[in-house]
Amino acid sequence: MSLSYKLIIGCVLTLLVTMSVTFYLISLRQDRLIVQQAENEARTIFRQIIITRKWVADHGGIFVREPPDQPWVKPSPFMLDAAITDQQERRYLRQTPAMVTKALADYAKEQETYWFHITSLNPVNPANRPDDLERQALEAFAREEMEEFMTMETINRDVYLRYISPLYTETVCLDCHGNYRINDVRGAISVTLPLSETFAEAARNRRLLFAAMGLVVMVLSGSLLLMIRHLVLTPMQTLAMAITRYSRSGHREDAVILQTGDEFEELSRSFARMAGKLSDYHHNLEDKIQIATRDLEQSNRQLLAANRLLAATNVKKSDFIARASHELRTPLTSVKGGMEYLTARLTSLDPDTGRACSRDELLDFLELIRNNTDRLIRMVNIMLDIERIEMGTMSSLNTQDFDLALLVWESREELALTAAAKNIAITTRGPQALTVRADEDRIRQVLTNLLANAVKFAPQNSEVQLRFSQEEEIAVVEVEDQGAGIEPGQEEKIFEKFYRLGDKEGSGLGLAICRSIIEAHGGRIGAENRPEGGARFYFHLPTR
């Protein structure tokens, strides 16, 4: 199904539903207004009858000329002066309010406009006997205080409004009905209004309205079809053909611009711009492919370099493990030898004299065992740090506030004897107290490592300077020596794993561990050569 028919069907359905609901609501409203108007008319008729009855009663009745065509009508035997005669010998009969009401009811029924009926549960006149509906209303008036009774009734396929309202005894009624009591319900008046013609006229109006609604739907549908074809479908087909031609040729000249002055023109301009960009992109695609190829080749070269670096790292790691095995074997051999010597000396005790090796000999071998055991512990700790670096868990820190100045002084004292053996002076400079929040044991490890390297590489009879200060919220620590310095271009490489400074002994992991610790704290570590000779190592540590 084409778009135009879909739009027409959708609009027609929307109009039909909307107008049907409106038509239905208007019909209900019209029927309700007809009934309300009939109810108001019935109330008006009833009030007019009551006014007429009161007027007749207030004037003691009225005299009506005796109908010449009804000679059987006799004066009322219950009234005085029931009949009078004028000078022309015409006789007039006295009529009570009830009689006047009955006469008016008969006259209205003859005119076929409406009719009413005076009735009572105990009528004096048999003609006033109530029908079923009037009896129901009279009984309801007797049971409860109701001002009116109203209902719709269908008689011989005709619709009528039945309105019944009670009649109350008033003072003027006692002149003729002495046995009545004031405000008693003595009867009712029933007003009947025919509504069939009114409803028929309303039905004709509804048919006319329905026909008008159909005509409106047809006119709107035709107008929509013409407007959609002219304003929507024709520009859309033109644009679709242009897109098809462009998809086949790829030439931007096939992207036409519609001159409609609306959204289709803007859409065609957007398509033309897109077609131009696609054409340019198509023309430059070869260059982009070449660039991408060169980038891929560069990435491959970088990947190969990374693989070579990884292979070299594995070689270094294997070399370190071999060196570590050798280093572990040496203290273990010394410990084993010392233990075997002590065992041999203890087992050679003279049971008679109890004489054994001297106390100094035992202390020497025990000191040898202790020193080699400490060396083993250091080697194991280094290997554990290697594992932490490889697993990326060096960032597990136990941070707390501590005095960095006190930690610097303690680190200096730990290496004082080692420095004194080479006649090296360790000088410190900094504030009396500097509080930082970090892992104290890890920062101690960094300080000890940097100071130990400075003492190791510093010549005899030289000086190692240890400075610390605070810049805003950063603590700065610097360690300077007067050694040979760092080879140019190696300032960053010395912090790599397994890299060893010069031909000195070591695992090549000390500085790598220091960098991991400082970076785990969010700080920075580095090294550089001093202009006057020697090297300067430093690290920056956040105080919070």
Side-chain angles (χ1 to χ4, degrees):
M1 186 180 294
S2 63
L3 178 61
S4 59
Y5 287 109
K6 290 181 181 179
L7 290 173
I8 292 300
I9 292 174
C11 294
V12 169
L13 290 177
T14 303
L15 285 173
L16 285 176
V17 171
T18 304
M19 299 188 72
S20 297
V21 172
T22 304
F23 178 76
Y24 175 73
L25 295 177
I26 290 176
S27 298
L28 291 180
R29 180 64 178 170
Q30 187 179 27
D31 292 343
R32 192 177 300 112
L33 289 175
I34 290 173
V35 173
Q36 290 177 355
Q37 184 177 1
E39 292 174 355
N40 293 331
E41 185 177 353
R43 293 188 184 96
T44 302
I45 293 172
F46 174 78
R47 286 194 292 268
Q48 188 65 38
I49 295 171
I50 295 299
I51 291 173
T52 302
R53 286 171 57 86
K54 286 185 177 182
W55 184 86
V56 173
D58 290 341
H59 290 80
I62 62 172
F63 286 91
V64 180
R65 183 179 176 181
E66 180 182 38
D69 56 343
Q70 298 179 8
W72 61 83
V73 177
K74 301 297 182 182
S76 174
F78 304 102
M79 300 178 60
L80 299 176
D81 300 329
I84 60 174
T85 305
D86 62 5
Q87 294 179 356
Q88 285 80 21
E89 298 298 330
R90 290 176 297 190
R91 195 169 69 150
Y92 295 85
L93 302 179
R94 189 177 183 183
Q95 301 289 314
T96 63
M99 296 169 67
V100 172
T101 304
K102 182 66 171 61
L104 291 175
D106 294 339
Y107 185 79
K109 191 171 184 180
E110 291 176 1
Q111 300 298 320
E112 295 184 353
T113 55
Y114 65 88
W115 60 88
F116 56 91
H117 181 222
I118 185 171
T119 183
S120 175
L121 291 175
N122 299 309
V124 176
N125 187 350
N128 296 336
R129 184 178 296 109
D131 59 17
D132 293 339
L133 186 62
E134 291 171 342
R135 182 178 299 279
Q136 181 182 350
L138 289 169
E139 291 175 352
F141 293 150
R143 288 194 306 269
E144 51 188 288
E145 295 182 359
M146 292 179 57
E147 294 184 358
E148 59 184 10
F149 183 90
M150 195 178 313
T151 186
M152 302 291 294
E153 188 176 16
T154 302
I155 304 174
N156 296 329
R157 296 184 180 179
D158 291 330
V159 180
Y160 297 90
L161 174 68
R162 299 292 304 276
Y163 177 85
I164 305 172
S165 187
L167 294 174
Y168 297 98
T169 302
E170 298 183 5
T171 304
V172 70
C173 300
L174 299 179
D175 295 339
C176 298
H177 305 283
N179 58 338
Y180 288 0
R181 290 183 299 177
I182 301 297
N183 293 329
D184 279 351
V185 177
R186 303 306 302 174
I189 293 179
S190 171
V191 179
T192 303
L193 295 177
L195 297 180
S196 296
E197 283 296 327
T198 305
F199 282 120
E201 183 65 24
R204 287 192 290 271
N205 291 336
R206 282 195 292 269
R207 287 193 293 272
L208 180 61
L209 183 62
F210 184 78
M213 181 185 71
L215 180 62
V216 169
V217 171
M218 293 176 59
V219 172
L220 287 178
S221 300
S223 301
L224 284 174
L225 179 60
L226 293 176
M227 288 189 293
I228 289 172
R229 284 187 178 276
H230 177 69
L231 299 177
V232 178
L233 295 181
T234 300
M236 185 182 297
Q237 291 173 356
T238 304
L239 185 59
M241 293 174 60
I243 293 174
T244 302
R245 288 195 303 270
Y246 175 77
S247 64
R248 293 174 180 174
S249 64
H251 300 304
R252 67 174 69 191
E253 293 78 10
D254 293 328
V256 299
I257 297 178
L258 302 177
Q259 302 297 327
T260 57
D262 53 17
E263 287 80 359
F264 279 105
E265 181 176 346
E266 183 61 28
L267 180 61
S268 65
R269 292 184 183 277
S270 299
F271 171 68
R273 289 192 294 269
M274 181 192 70
K277 291 181 180 179
L278 286 176
S279 298
D280 295 338
Y281 178 78
H282 178 73
H283 294 154
N284 298 328
L285 185 59
E286 190 67 28
D287 296 337
K288 293 181 179 179
I289 291 176
Q290 293 178 0
I291 294 173
T293 302
R294 288 196 298 270
D295 292 341
L296 181 60
E297 292 176 353
Q298 183 178 359
S299 298
N300 290 333
R301 288 193 297 270
Q302 292 176 354
L303 182 60
L304 291 175
N307 289 333
R308 288 194 295 268
L309 180 61
L310 179 61
T313 303
N314 288 331
V315 171
K316 290 182 180 180
K317 185 174 182 180
S318 299
D319 180 62
F320 167 73
I321 292 174
R323 291 198 308 270
S325 300
H326 175 74
E327 293 293 334
L328 289 174
R329 188 183 299 112
T330 300
L332 284 174
T333 302
S334 299
V335 171
K336 181 180 179 183
M339 294 298 294
E340 290 177 350
Y341 176 80
L342 290 177
T343 302
R345 297 291 293 176
L346 291 174
T347 54
S348 63
L349 286 174
D350 188 344
D352 296 329
T353 63
R355 184 176 174 278
C357 59
S358 66
R359 177 176 177 274
D360 292 337
E361 291 178 327
L362 289 176
L363 289 176
D364 290 340
F365 279 97
L366 288 176
E367 182 66 21
L368 175 64
I369 293 172
R370 186 180 69 82
N371 292 335
N372 283 278
T373 302
D374 292 340
R375 184 178 177 187
L376 283 172
I377 292 173
R378 287 194 301 271
M379 292 295 296
V380 170
N381 288 334
I382 290 174
M383 296 180 71
L384 289 176
D385 287 336
I386 295 172
E387 184 67 19
R388 291 191 185 98
I389 293 173
E390 296 293 336
M391 298 297 294
T393 58
M394 182 60 77
S395 59
S396 178
L397 304 173
N398 181 22
T399 58
Q400 59 183 350
D401 291 337
F402 66 91
D403 188 358
L404 181 62
L406 179 60
L407 183 61
V408 168
W409 182 84
E410 291 176 351
S411 300
R412 173 185 176 278
E413 292 300 317
E414 288 177 2
L415 292 170
L417 292 178
T418 303
K422 297 177 64 175
N423 198 22
I424 296 174
I426 300 178
T427 61
T428 60
R429 186 173 63 187
Q432 293 294 326
L434 177 55
T435 302
V436 297
R437 185 171 183 81
D439 189 326
E440 183 177 358
D441 292 336
R442 292 297 184 182
I443 301 302
R444 184 189 300 273
Q445 183 178 355
V446 173
L447 280 171
T448 302
N449 200 313
L450 294 180
L451 278 174
N453 283 341
V455 172
K456 180 189 298 185
F457 289 94
Q460 293 186 353
N461 303 317
S462 62
E463 180 185 12
V464 172
Q465 297 182 8
L466 178 57
R467 295 192 299 270
F468 59 97
S469 61
Q470 182 174 359
E471 299 177 0
E472 295 182 355
E473 294 185 356
I474 301 295
V476 179
V477 179
E478 299 173 319
V479 179
E480 295 183 353
D481 61 56
Q482 297 174 354
I486 306 170
E487 295 182 8
Q490 303 296 311
E491 288 84 356
E492 289 293 331
K493 195 173 183 61
I494 60 176
F495 290 99
E496 296 179 1
K497 292 176 290 185
F498 312 119
Y499 184 87
R500 292 192 298 177
L501 294 171
D503 56 355
K504 300 289 184 179
E505 295 182 356
S507 62
L509 285 171
L511 293 179
I513 294 173
C514 291
R515 182 172 64 178
S516 298
I517 293 173
I518 295 301
E519 289 180 352
H521 283 81
R524 181 170 61 90
I525 190 171
E528 61 185 9
N529 285 317
R530 300 173 62 208
E532 59 273 18
R536 183 175 73 91
F537 287 80
Y538 62 90
F539 65 86
H540 296 175
L541 186 68
T543 58
R544 287 288 179 265

